[in-house]
């Protein structure tokens, strides 16, 4: 991450922490407000409102990925195609995570599919928005840091515990460690 000012790195990390805490507090607030309806749902952290909030956050994340695609095409068509390809591959996992969170949080299949379509259309809308607006240089780390905080929260509080819940195996454990090593290697190579 040479060339990126220290202030931007610190601010992006602060936004990551802010995103993590924002979605943590948002989830807990929804759970507390709905505690009177069904105590079991609160204890298990499975509630439709949490699923909808997660899908909307994924849609926001996907919209920003679309902005990345559009901005990359403004730099060069080759870069645009490379970023689009990477985002498409990444969004396959986002789609699976979105559906898992929606169904896990007790939404119907029809509701989940509708929200998944919103997440799927969001990058297209984000890319199209770059035809009208240009992101100020230096602002993207703030947006990405905040949404990274959300993804970190969802991964740490929902996806990872669910993966290790009932069918935990040595394979699941190895994939978790391999994912952490891969993330470390990629960030080391980039930095």
């Amino acid at each position: 991450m040479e060339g990126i000012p220290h202030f931007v790195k610190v601010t992006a990390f602060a936004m990551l922490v802010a995103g993590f805490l924002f979605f943590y507090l948002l989830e807990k607030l929804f759970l507390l407000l709905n505690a009177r309806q069904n105590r079991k749902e609160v204890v298990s952290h499975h509630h439709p409102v949490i699923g909808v909030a997660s899908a909307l956050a994924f849609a926001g994340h996907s919209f920003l990925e679309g902005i990345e695609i559009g901005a990359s095409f403004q730099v060069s068509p080759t870069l645009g195609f490379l970023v689009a390809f990477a985002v498409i591959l990444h969004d396959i996992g986002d789609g699976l995570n979105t559906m898992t969170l929606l169904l896990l949080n007790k939404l119907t299949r029809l509701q989940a599919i509708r929200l998944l379509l919103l997440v799927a259309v969001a990058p297209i809308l984000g890319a199209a928005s770059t035809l009208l607006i240009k992101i100020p240089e230096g602002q993207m780390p703030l947006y990405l840091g905040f949404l990274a905080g959300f993804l970190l929260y969802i991964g740490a509080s929902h996806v990872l515990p669910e993966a290790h819940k009932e069918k935990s195996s040595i394979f699941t454990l190895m994939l978790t460690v391999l994912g952490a090593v891969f993330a470390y290697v990629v960030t080391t190579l980039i930095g």
Side-chain angles (χ1 to χ4, degrees), residues 27-45:
E27 179 182 84
K28 297 309 172 202
L29 178 64
F30 283 132
L31 288 173
L32 290 172
L33 291 175
N34 290 293
R36 294 181 184 151
Q37 290 180 5
N38 188 340
R39 189 78 181 140
K40 187 177 180 182
E41 284 180 347
V42 173
V43 172
S44 70
H45 299 284

Side-chain angles (χ1 to χ4, degrees), residues 10-178:
V10 171
T11 306
F13 183 74
M15 291 303 291
L16 180 140
V17 172
F20 185 95
L21 290 174
F22 175 78
F23 288 103
Y24 168 76
L25 294 172
L26 186 66
E27 179 182 84
K28 297 309 172 202
L29 178 64
F30 283 132
L31 288 173
L32 290 172
L33 291 175
N34 290 293
R36 294 181 184 151
Q37 290 180 5
N38 188 340
R39 189 78 181 140
K40 187 177 180 182
E41 284 180 347
V42 173
V43 172
S44 70
H45 299 284
H46 296 171
H47 195 279
V49 174
I50 306 255
V52 171
S54 298
L56 293 176
F58 268 116
H61 170 78
S62 295
F63 183 82
L64 287 179
E65 288 175 337
I67 291 174
E68 290 175 30
I69 293 170
S72 298
F73 271 107
Q74 290 177 7
V75 173
S76 84
T78 303
L79 181 62
F81 282 115
L82 287 173
V83 170
F85 180 70
V87 167
I88 289 168
L89 289 179
H90 166 77
D91 280 352
I92 293 169
D94 278 355
L96 293 171
N97 288 333
T98 300
M99 282 301 284
T100 300
L101 286 168
L102 292 171
L103 295 175
L104 185 66
N105 284 294
K106 302 181 180 180
L107 276 85
T108 67
R109 285 193 187 273
L110 182 59
Q111 291 169 322
I113 289 170
R114 286 179 180 158
L115 286 165
L116 181 63
L117 286 174
L118 173 67
V119 173
V121 169
I124 298 166
L125 297 174
S129 75
T130 62
L131 299 171
L132 305 172
I133 58 169
K134 183 175 178 166
I135 299 171
E137 196 170 320
Q139 296 297 312
M140 188 58 86
L142 304 178
Y143 299 128
L144 295 178
F146 186 78
L147 288 173
F150 157 72
L151 294 175
L152 185 62
Y153 175 72
I154 290 297
S157 66
H158 294 285
V159 177
L160 191 59
E162 197 64 31
H164 290 277
K165 194 173 183 178
E166 293 175 18
K167 299 178 184 177
S168 189
S169 67
I170 193 72
F171 181 69
T172 305
L173 178 64
M174 288 177 11
L175 285 177
T176 302
V177 171
L178 183 62

